[in-house]
Amino acid sequence: MSSTLDFARDTFKINPRYRLQWEDAQQCHVLLYPEGLVKLSGTAAEILGRCQQPTRAAELIAELQREYPAADTLADDVMEFLTHARQQEWIKRTED
Amino acid sequence: MTVKPPADKVSIPERAPVPLWLLAELTYACPLQCPYCSNPLELPKSRSSELTTEQWLDVMQQARKLGAVQLGFSGGEPLVRPDVELLVQEGSKMGFYCNLITSALGLTTERITALKNAGLNHLQISFQGSDQETNARFGGSDSFVHKLAMTKEVIRQGIPLGLNFVLHRHNIHQVADFLALADSLGAEFVELANTQYYAWAMHNREQLLPSRQQLQDAEAATNKFRDTSGSRMKVFFVAPDYYDDRPKKCSNGWGTTFITVTPDGDVLPCQSARIIPGLEFPNIRTQTLRDIWLDSTLFQRFRGTAWMQEPCASCPEKLIDLGGCRCQAFMLTGDAASTDPVCSLSPLHHVVTEITDAANAQASSQSSTPAQPLLFRNTSNARKLSAKKETSTS
Ligand code: SF4
Ligand code: SF4
């Protein structure tokens, strides 16, 4: 990779190769891509759902924290997931 | 709130399986004549038996109801049909992730725009060689310049794209050139897919199977590209399973993941299943997809592990590869329920090593040319083959 997504600085969104949707037959959200699908946990879907439009890590965390004020490890959890999502290339820098 | 990384694979469900993929083979018509084509050797004489647009829409709707989410349009060359754009548009509305698998023949700037507007999620263009001459020789038509132009146009219009380069003995040395070409075009995904030996490829196997050395060189060239190019392009290398000692699962498990519908409406667990004798092939014109998927003898025949013979039946690895490919077992051993002989535990594994030994020997003694010439995939060769078959069986 010539450019890695930097969570401190970059805006990002779902990689256009991937599509997020609810699947009745699986009773969960899935992420579809040319080779198959990934089943998502409810929280993963909630985070990715907010990446349909360009966003930043800090904005995303603030937004979720407003919705779940009691979740005290939220920031760490979200960063852990975003790191995983970046590594899987589910999300991409918007400039790319 | 806790965030768990999701499981990154779909596991085989225990009760009624949910199909993931609908592969719609819209037509067997194709302007190219690749000698490794996976279409049946018996190509239909006319296109009059193809499903209509309405019938395809109905199959798609039924597959979606069963839970399929991936829809692949292939062929032949799917763009031969003028209704592809409409099918993509409707498939997209139904909630399918729509893939189009094409040789780029039949693509134009206007059709790319129409496909994009219809909601196409991914497009795959296949190449037969890394230069004009090789591409024309193996595609049987001079399409290289058009493929390059269409690749650029698809990228320009922003449809996610994958390039597919089918490897065999006569072009596998071009891997590095092809990767450089793909990179210069701006492709993000490349699949270097070794020919798998079914249908036309099986018929031409003696001329197509690369040697072990060629394969190793190609893998080395691929790794070198990955390490040194600094490119953001992703490269997948698919080896031919004849050189492995464990087989590949049949279509990710017979009746677990894939539904293939042929141009004339037969519903199959894999593209090549019709070669297996003694099976009945249900058709979408007379049965519902649900009945076929859940209850037909065809889909039940090799589902799970109950059908297995030894050594698979008591093998600790049986859930990993499900005994390999049924069509390959039939082609190489004459028994579709036997262990895929690619497996080194198969009592007939020598059938495969004899084939690879011959390919290796042929490569080292440059002079020996294969007994028969390459047979290109076209209707006239298909007719000759079926005439030959009739005389030899009567
Ligand atoms: S493999 Fe070649 S001949 Fe067969 S359908 Fe594809 S492009 Fe056409
Ligand atoms: S014996 Fe059968 S189940 Fe065991 S590894 Fe070989 S093919 Fe797979």
Side-chain angles (χ1 to χ4, degrees), chain B residues 91-346:
Chain B
S92 222
K93 277 194 213 150
M94 292 175 201
F96 277 113
Y97 186 98
C98 295
N99 301 269
L100 178 70
I101 298 151
T102 173
S103 66
L105 271 82
L107 265 189
T108 57
T109 304
E110 294 71 34
R111 284 193 97 176
I112 295 171
T113 310
L115 287 163
K116 179 165 179 170
N117 293 341
L120 184 66
N121 298 99
H122 184 250
L123 192 145
Q124 180 188 290
I125 296 181
S126 61
F127 278 77
Q128 286 73 26
S130 69
D131 57 46
Q132 191 159 6
E133 194 265 321
T134 317
N135 196 75
R137 181 163 159 230
F138 291 100
S141 144
D142 193 356
S143 55
F144 192 66
V145 175
H146 182 69
K147 280 171 193 275
L148 297 185
M150 289 302 108
T151 301
K152 285 189 199 147
E153 186 58 25
V154 170
I155 293 172
R156 195 186 68 77
Q157 295 205 29
I159 304 178
L161 170 77
L163 298 186
N164 177 283
F165 190 52
V166 184
L167 303 179
H168 48 74
R169 180 189 303 169
H170 306 285
N171 68 3
I172 193 167
H173 60 282
Q174 296 183 333
V175 158
D177 289 346
F178 182 68
L179 290 174
L181 172 71
D183 201 19
S184 75
L185 291 170
E188 288 189 31
F189 286 82
V190 167
E191 188 176 57
L192 299 166
N194 268 278
T195 300
Q196 304 289 341
Y197 294 94
Y198 300 94
W200 292 81
M202 182 68 180
H203 185 88
N204 288 312
R205 187 184 62 204
E206 207 188 327
Q207 293 86 286
L208 293 178
L209 185 66
S211 68
R212 189 178 287 277
Q213 186 60 50
Q214 282 185 299
L215 196 62
Q216 283 166 355
D217 292 347
E219 275 180 288
T222 306
N223 288 332
K224 188 169 163 212
F225 177 87
R226 288 187 183 124
D227 295 344
T228 60
S229 69
S231 161
R232 54 199 312 282
M233 192 168 84
K234 275 234 172 93
V235 186
F236 299 96
F237 189 93
V238 186
D241 62 354
Y242 280 38
Y243 285 102
D244 281 340
D245 58 5
R246 286 293 181 273
K248 289 192 176 68
K249 259 188 201 168
C250 174
S251 312
N252 196 43
W254 182 283
T256 65
T257 312
F258 282 93
I259 297 180
T260 295
V261 179
T262 66
D264 51 347
D266 277 1
V267 182
L268 308 174
C270 86
Q271 270 174 295
S272 112
R274 281 192 296 200
I275 65 166
I276 300 178
L279 291 176
E280 252 179 66
F281 302 103
N283 194 282
I284 198 64
R285 294 174 213 251
T286 52
Q287 275 176 274
T288 66
L289 200 61
R290 185 181 181 79
D291 286 349
I292 297 172
W293 170 256
L294 291 177
D295 299 323
S296 68
T297 4
L298 177 68
F299 276 80
Q300 294 287 28
R301 180 66 184 88
F302 299 112
R303 213 173 232 155
T305 55
W307 56 271
M308 284 181 174
Q309 306 171 359
E310 291 302 335
C312 295
S314 57
C315 178
E317 294 175 39
K318 69 178 172 189
L319 290 178
I320 299 175
D321 57 40
L322 295 170
C325 170
R326 297 303 88 223
C327 297
Q328 185 147 286
F330 169 70
M331 286 187 291
L332 299 180
T333 75
D335 177 3
S338 68
T339 299
D340 183 335
V342 158
C343 182
S344 61
L345 303 173
S346 158

